[in-house]
Amino acid sequence: MHAALTRLNTPTWQAVGGILLLVVGGLLLWLPIHTQNALDDWAVELRAGGEPAQAIIYDRITKRRGGTTMYFRYDFGGRTYEQEVPCVEVCRSYGEKVGIWVNRSDPTDFVTDFDQLSGHRGRLQGGLGVVGFVALLLGALLTLSRVPWRRWFPRRSPPRRRVQPAPGGAFTGRSKHKRRAGR
């Protein structure tokens, strides 16, 4: 087992691992973006084809971690439903009436007049997006650390200063006194 791990600890395999981290991180980072776009499309579709109804906010809870949730109660098809809606951009007060559009095939699914869908959707994808961002950064760092930058872009030595010979010969301007003082 140790020999197999030693063979994998080469610059080539580290570069391959870095590229794999880049790909996996990019996919995980793309997931919440794709999910949010799909949820936005669903909200537009639900608002256009859903059944309009009136909901009332019967409770609002703020948790210690800072998240606030509104609880809606509404009648649909002769039954009373209760659903929660997270406060993302808009947070209404207790007792307010809110216009909603309800999904006919799933009465617990609705969109509000301020374009917020019912339930806490996309939390898992958001967490995976954070993991993807970290993996993307680690993959980029690992991959870039394996690039032979010095071979591709060698350092240029600074230009040498030309020393003009002193007129008249070998006088350099140094004395033994200065040389001893520096010691």
Side-chain angles (χ1 to χ4, degrees), residues 156-162:
R156 295 191 305 162
S157 57
R160 299 188 98 193
R161 217 173 55 179
R162 295 184 134 212

Side-chain angles (χ1 to χ4, degrees), residues 37-156:
N37 287 338
L39 288 175
D40 290 344
D41 292 345
W42 175 242
V44 169
E45 185 178 328
L46 192 56
R47 195 165 188 168
E51 188 72 33
Q54 192 76 9
I56 188 165
I57 299 173
Y58 72 91
D59 199 4
R60 192 171 110 176
I61 297 175
T62 302
K63 297 179 181 158
R64 282 188 226 176
R65 291 183 272 164
T68 302
T69 303
M70 299 175 288
Y71 292 90
F72 285 61
R73 184 177 290 144
Y74 57 98
D75 293 323
F76 186 75
R79 291 186 59 193
T80 300
Y81 294 94
E82 294 179 355
Q83 275 299 325
E84 58 185 34
V85 174
C87 291
V88 178
E89 293 176 5
V90 176
C91 202
R92 301 279 176 92
S93 299
Y94 170 79
E96 267 190 70
K97 291 187 178 186
V98 177
I100 61 173
W101 288 265
V102 181
N103 185 354
R104 289 181 185 100
S105 61
D106 180 10
T108 61
D109 184 23
F110 65 85
V111 64
T112 64
D113 60 1
F114 51 91
D115 290 330
Q116 184 68 37
L117 289 168
S118 60
H120 295 277
R121 302 175 192 210
R123 278 186 171 176
L124 177 64
Q125 291 87 348
L128 289 175
V130 170
V131 170
F133 181 70
V134 170
L136 192 67
L137 284 178
L138 288 175
L141 290 174
L142 185 62
T143 303
L144 290 175
S145 72
R146 298 290 125 211
V147 173
W149 298 109
R150 299 275 161 95
R151 184 171 23 150
W152 293 350
F153 304 107
R155 283 192 175 169
R156 295 191 305 162

